[in-house]
Amino acid sequence: MRIQRSWVPPQILNHVFLIVTQPAENCVIIFETIQIFAGGLPPMKLKFTHKTWYFFLLCAAAASMLNGFAVLGGMDFSFLEMVAFCITGITILFLAAEKGSDPKDKRSYFLIFVLLMLSYVLNGWAAYLFSALVWPALLALEYQKGRPIQRQLQLVGAAEAFHLLFVLLTVYGGMAGLSFWANLLWVLLACARGWAALSLYKMQEEDA
């Protein structure tokens, strides 16, 4: 049974990066153009808030969870992990580019995005390590901003640590028999991420 890891074709990653690094007004133009060509309707500006991005994080966690169940069932739904990777990257970048936010928070979000990219461009144990740091770092930043998500942060951090340990033992420790447990831990990790994202979404909804 294979070990779960994100993989995104460079062509798709380049297209995503080109879109999300555009200024906010250019992104509005992109969405308006898509809408016009898709249905011939008058352009409508889309408003994205923290609530929107937390929902995207929830979708990313759900995609990872579905992929994990597919792996446990002997199927290959790796495209779902590609979707989760892209959604997570776009979300973090837009959080970093949010107008009016604290410059310190913007730098922190961008550093988390760098961690995510390093998990893609690097190989070996370093890629697994950087991948395991992304969600805990993101949740830690939200916790520092006053979000009461201490339990979610602790659960995701512990799940990431155990999953990383089992993956390293399976891949580099010669313990191939642990691959099933590594994949099972991936599903549990995705569930923990989903709980954290859902909690952030509900908190933002209450604040609205």
Side-chain angles (χ1 to χ4, degrees):
M1 186 172 292
R2 65 189 179 86
I3 297 298
Q4 191 61 51
R5 186 190 171 197
S6 303
W7 183 84
V8 182
Q11 298 87 345
I12 294 179
L13 187 64
N14 290 338
H15 281 77
V16 170
F17 185 77
L18 286 174
I19 292 176
V20 300
T21 51
Q22 299 296 318
E25 56 270 19
N26 289 354
C27 289
V28 172
I29 294 173
I30 290 172
F31 288 125
E32 289 179 351
T33 304
I34 293 174
Q35 187 180 16
I36 291 173
F37 279 103
L41 299 175
M44 178 182 64
K45 290 188 177 181
L46 302 177
K47 183 179 179 181
F48 294 97
T49 63
H50 262 66
K51 182 179 176 181
T52 309
W53 304 125
Y54 294 151
F55 177 75
F56 281 2
L57 286 178
L58 180 59
C59 292
S64 293
M65 183 171 59
L66 288 175
N67 187 35
F69 279 121
V71 171
L72 290 175
M75 297 176 286
D76 184 8
F77 283 9
S78 56
F79 72 93
L80 288 175
E81 197 55 39
M82 176 188 70
V83 171
F85 180 91
C86 292
I87 292 176
T88 304
I90 291 173
T91 299
I92 295 173
L93 265 185
F94 269 109
L95 286 171
E98 186 178 31
K99 185 178 180 180
S101 60
D102 191 326
K104 182 180 178 182
D105 292 339
K106 289 186 177 185
R107 289 193 296 269
S108 298
Y109 281 124
F110 184 75
L111 288 176
I112 296 172
F113 175 76
V114 171
L115 280 178
L116 183 65
M117 292 299 103
L118 287 175
S119 72
Y120 171 75
V121 300
L122 296 179
N123 294 315
W125 62 268
Y128 293 113
L129 176 62
F130 285 123
S131 178
L133 292 175
V134 173
W135 273 79
L138 180 59
L139 295 179
L141 177 57
E142 297 297 330
Y143 178 68
Q144 290 176 359
K145 291 166 62 178
R147 299 291 182 184
I149 55 169
Q150 183 177 4
R151 288 184 299 172
Q152 292 89 333
L153 173 59
Q154 292 172 342
L155 180 61
V156 171
E160 292 278 11
F162 278 109
H163 176 256
L164 177 63
L165 175 62
F166 274 71
V167 167
L168 294 179
L169 288 175
T170 301
V171 177
Y172 300 104
M175 301 181 182
L178 294 178
S179 62
F180 170 81
W181 298 106
N183 287 320
L184 180 61
L185 281 170
W186 175 261
V187 175
L188 298 178
L189 171 59
C191 291
R193 290 176 176 178
W195 179 41
L198 180 61
S199 299
L200 288 171
Y201 179 82
K202 288 184 175 180
M203 291 173 193
Q204 189 68 25
E205 192 174 43
E206 292 171 358
D207 294 342

Coordinates of all heavy atoms in Angstrom, one line a residue, residues 15 29-30 47 71 81 87 98 100 105 114 123 144 187 191-192 194 196 199-201 204:
H15 N 0.1 27.8 -13.1 CA -1.1 28.5 -13.4 C -1.7 29.1 -12.2 O -2.2 30.2 -12.1 CB -2.1 27.6 -14.2 CG -1.8 27.5 -15.6 ND1 -0.8 26.6 -16.1 CD2 -2.3 28.1 -16.7 CE1 -0.7 26.7 -17.4 NE2 -1.6 27.6 -17.8
I29 N -11.3 40.8 -12.1 CA -11.5 40.8 -13.5 C -11.5 39.4 -14.1 O -12.2 39.0 -14.9 CB -10.4 41.6 -14.2 CG1 -10.5 43.1 -13.9 CG2 -10.4 41.5 -15.7 CD1 -9.4 44.0 -14.3
I30 N -10.6 38.6 -13.5 CA -10.5 37.2 -13.9 C -11.8 36.5 -13.7 O -12.4 35.8 -14.5 CB -9.3 36.4 -13.2 CG1 -8.0 37.0 -13.7 CG2 -9.4 34.9 -13.4 CD1 -6.8 36.5 -12.8
K47 N -17.0 38.8 -3.3 CA -16.4 39.3 -2.1 C -15.9 38.1 -1.3 O -16.6 37.2 -0.9 CB -17.4 40.1 -1.3 CG -16.8 40.7 0.0 CD -17.8 41.5 0.8 CE -17.2 42.0 2.1 NZ -18.2 42.8 2.8
V71 N -7.2 5.4 -0.7 CA -6.0 4.6 -0.6 C -6.2 3.4 0.3 O -5.7 2.3 -0.1 CB -4.9 5.6 0.0 CG1 -3.6 4.7 0.3 CG2 -4.5 6.7 -1.0
E81 N -5.8 14.8 -3.8 CA -4.7 15.5 -3.0 C -4.1 16.7 -3.7 O -3.7 17.6 -3.1 CB -3.6 14.4 -2.7 CG -2.7 14.9 -1.5 CD -3.5 15.2 -0.3 OE1 -4.5 14.5 0.0 OE2 -3.1 16.2 0.4
I87 N -5.9 24.2 -3.2 CA -6.8 25.0 -2.4 C -6.1 25.5 -1.2 O -6.3 26.7 -0.9 CB -8.0 24.1 -2.0 CG1 -8.9 23.8 -3.2 CG2 -8.9 24.9 -0.9 CD1 -10.1 22.8 -2.8
E98 N -4.7 39.8 2.2 CA -5.9 40.5 2.6 C -5.6 42.0 2.9 O -4.7 42.3 3.7 CB -6.5 39.8 3.8 CG -7.9 40.3 4.2 CD -8.5 39.6 5.3 OE1 -7.7 39.1 6.2 OE2 -9.7 39.4 5.4
G100 N -5.8 45.5 4.6 CA -6.1 46.0 5.9 C -5.6 45.1 7.1 O -5.7 45.5 8.2
D105 N 1.0 39.6 10.4 CA 0.3 38.5 10.0 C 0.5 38.1 8.5 O 0.6 36.9 8.2 CB -1.2 38.7 10.2 CG -1.6 38.8 11.7 OD1 -0.8 38.3 12.5 OD2 -2.6 39.4 12.0
V114 N 5.4 29.5 2.0 CA 6.8 29.0 1.6 C 7.0 27.6 2.1 O 7.6 26.7 1.4 CB 7.9 30.0 2.2 CG1 9.3 29.4 2.0 CG2 7.8 31.3 1.5
N123 N 12.7 16.9 -2.0 CA 12.5 15.5 -2.0 C 13.0 14.9 -0.6 O 13.7 15.5 0.1 CB 13.3 14.8 -3.1 CG 12.7 15.2 -4.5 OD1 11.5 15.2 -4.7 ND2 13.6 15.6 -5.4
Q144 N -2.9 32.5 17.9 CA -2.3 33.7 18.4 C -3.1 35.0 18.1 O -3.0 36.0 18.9 CB -0.9 33.9 17.7 CG 0.2 32.9 18.2 CD 1.5 33.0 17.5 OE1 1.6 33.9 16.6 NE2 2.4 32.2 17.8
V187 N -5.8 9.5 7.2 CA -7.2 9.8 7.3 C -7.6 10.5 8.6 O -8.4 11.5 8.6 CB -8.0 8.5 7.2 CG1 -9.5 8.7 7.3 CG2 -7.7 7.8 5.8
C191 N -9.2 14.3 9.2 CA -10.4 14.6 10.0 C -10.1 15.7 11.0 O -10.9 16.5 11.3 CB -10.8 13.3 10.7 SG -11.5 12.0 9.7
A192 N -8.9 15.6 11.6 CA -8.5 16.6 12.6 C -8.4 18.0 11.9 O -8.8 19.0 12.5 CB -7.1 16.2 13.3
G194 N -10.0 18.9 9.3 CA -11.4 19.3 9.0 C -12.1 19.9 10.2 O -12.8 20.9 10.1
A196 N -10.7 21.4 12.7 CA -10.1 22.7 13.0 C -10.6 23.8 12.0 O -11.0 24.9 12.4 CB -8.6 22.6 12.9
S199 N -14.2 24.6 12.8 CA -14.3 25.4 14.0 C -14.0 26.9 13.7 O -14.7 27.8 14.1 CB -13.3 24.9 15.1 OG -13.6 23.6 15.5
L200 N -13.0 27.1 12.8 CA -12.7 28.5 12.4 C -13.8 29.1 11.6 O -14.1 30.3 11.8 CB -11.4 28.5 11.6 CG -10.1 28.2 12.3 CD1 -8.9 28.0 11.4 CD2 -9.8 29.4 13.3
Y201 N -14.4 28.3 10.7 CA -15.5 28.7 9.9 C -16.7 29.2 10.8 O -17.3 30.2 10.6 CB -15.9 27.6 9.0 CG -17.1 28.0 8.1 CD1 -16.9 28.7 6.9 CD2 -18.4 27.6 8.4 CE1 -18.0 29.1 6.1 CE2 -19.5 27.9 7.6 CZ -19.3 28.6 6.4 OH -20.3 29.0 5.7
Q204 N -16.0 32.4 12.7 CA -16.1 33.6 11.8 C -17.5 33.9 11.5 O -17.9 35.1 11.4 CB -15.3 33.3 10.5 CG -15.2 34.5 9.6 CD -14.2 35.6 10.2 OE1 -13.4 35.3 11.0 NE2 -14.4 36.8 9.8

